[in-house]
Amino acid sequence: MYTVQKLALLAGVSARTLRYYDTIGLLTPQKNESGYRVYGSSEIDRLQLILFYRELGFGLHDIAKLLDDPGFDETEALIGQREQLMKERSRLDLLIKNVEKTISAKKGESQMAEHEKFEGFKKQLVEDNEAAYGKEIREKYGDAEVDRSNAKMLGMDQQRYEAFKRLEQEILDKLEHALKDGEPEGSSGQGIADLHRQWLGFTWGSYEPQAHAGLAEMYVADERFAAYYEKAGKGAAQYLRDAIIAYTDKLNG
């Protein structure tokens, strides 16, 4: 059994943190015969999970909901945490390697190829997209197509990657202005839809109007996709969807 102070020292957290966890019901200690708060093996295991999830960016409220779920499986949770940490380690290793290469190049000790300068950023973009949308996209388009798209992204050189990011921002900027006319079938909306087709070309193996239209439907059906385009203004996701549907309908003849 551990007292508050001893567990705080063991876990590398403050006693105040443990008391706060007790207050909000996240980590409740036992009471010994003398009435003192003590922590046994089950509380220690729970604290370990709490700290793991904190490191992964979870809020305390979300951690509590997760750990208190009757269907929560501690082993499966640890396996999932390991996978996320391995991905993060891989990303950090790549960024460290990138920084080391850059330092060496700046010192004149070596040369750095243009495509190497963006490896860490592109890898992070791919991993973020996988985490946010991977399940839905893979179900819709299949693993092979998504893997080809990811490989195409990772293989971009500096010039192409910068063009990809510029076009992405241009679409958002034009969406913001086009919302005022409210006519996605008009010249502004169709111009944006064509820009969006060009943007897809950076990562898609081949362009198909039907696939483009299907993706547009996801922009309004899935709030995560919608939230990205809503940065351009309220109704932007719906506007873009309608513009793309009108654009692909014309291509389909």
Side-chain angles (χ1 to χ4, degrees):
M1 291 290 182
Y2 287 81
T3 64
V4 172
Q5 295 294 339
K6 287 184 178 180
L7 181 57
L9 183 62
L10 175 69
V13 299
S14 68
R16 179 179 294 180
T17 294
L18 293 179
R19 293 190 183 98
Y20 178 66
Y21 288 171
D22 182 15
T23 300
I24 64 175
L26 180 59
L27 183 67
T28 304
Q30 305 174 30
K31 291 285 184 69
N32 64 13
E33 295 178 355
S34 301
Y36 289 106
R37 292 181 296 182
V38 293
Y39 298 85
S41 59
S42 62
E43 290 79 34
I44 292 172
D45 289 346
R46 184 177 174 94
L47 177 59
Q48 182 191 33
L49 290 171
I50 292 169
L51 297 181
F52 271 142
Y53 281 115
R54 271 183 49 192
E55 287 297 317
L56 293 172
F58 283 69
L60 296 181
H61 177 70
D62 292 330
I63 295 173
K65 285 179 60 178
L66 184 65
L67 298 185
D68 293 335
D69 186 330
F72 178 74
D73 186 310
E74 185 173 325
T75 301
E76 287 298 319
L78 288 169
I79 291 172
Q81 290 170 346
R82 181 184 63 186
E83 290 176 354
Q84 292 188 57
L85 290 170
M86 292 292 285
K87 289 180 180 179
E88 179 65 9
R89 184 174 73 177
S90 176
R91 183 184 72 86
L92 290 175
D93 285 344
L94 185 58
L95 288 173
I96 291 170
K97 184 178 179 181
N98 188 286
V99 170
E100 289 174 343
K101 285 183 178 180
T102 303
I103 292 171
S104 178
K106 293 293 183 183
K107 289 181 175 181
E109 298 171 349
S110 65
Q111 291 185 333
M112 190 175 189
E114 295 293 334
H115 72 274
E116 293 180 295
K117 297 177 181 179
F118 295 91
E119 285 180 353
F121 304 109
K122 289 183 292 184
K123 183 175 176 61
Q124 182 61 39
L125 180 59
V126 167
E127 290 181 353
D128 287 346
N129 286 339
E130 278 284 352
Y133 317 115
K135 183 174 182 289
E136 292 80 2
I137 293 295
R138 288 181 179 277
E139 287 177 354
K140 190 173 185 64
Y141 297 106
D143 289 338
E145 189 61 40
V146 175
D147 289 342
R148 278 194 294 269
S149 177
N150 289 343
K152 198 170 180 181
M153 164 67 75
L154 294 171
M156 287 184 191
D157 59 21
Q158 176 187 0
Q159 184 177 5
R160 189 164 178 78
Y161 178 73
E162 289 177 347
F164 171 76
K165 298 303 290 183
R166 281 197 305 270
L167 188 54
E168 182 177 1
Q169 187 58 51
E170 184 180 355
I171 291 170
L172 290 174
D173 292 342
K174 288 187 179 296
L175 262 177
E176 183 178 358
H177 291 93
L179 283 172
K180 298 172 185 177
D181 66 38
E183 297 180 0
E185 300 86 0
S187 59
S188 294
Q190 292 308 284
I192 291 171
D194 188 63
L195 287 176
H196 195 269
R197 176 191 61 78
Q198 295 175 44
W199 180 71
L200 291 175
F202 281 88
T203 54
W204 281 19
S206 60
Y207 176 78
E208 295 180 4
Q210 185 176 357
H212 193 184
L215 182 62
E217 294 292 354
M218 291 184 71
Y219 289 167
V220 293
D222 191 310
E223 61 183 14
R224 293 166 300 170
F225 284 98
Y228 174 79
Y229 286 105
E230 292 293 300
K231 293 186 293 184
K234 186 174 177 58
Q238 182 69 49
Y239 182 100
L240 179 60
R241 177 264 181 199
D242 293 345
I244 291 172
I245 295 300
Y247 181 85
T248 55
D249 282 348
K250 290 178 183 177
L251 292 178
N252 287 323

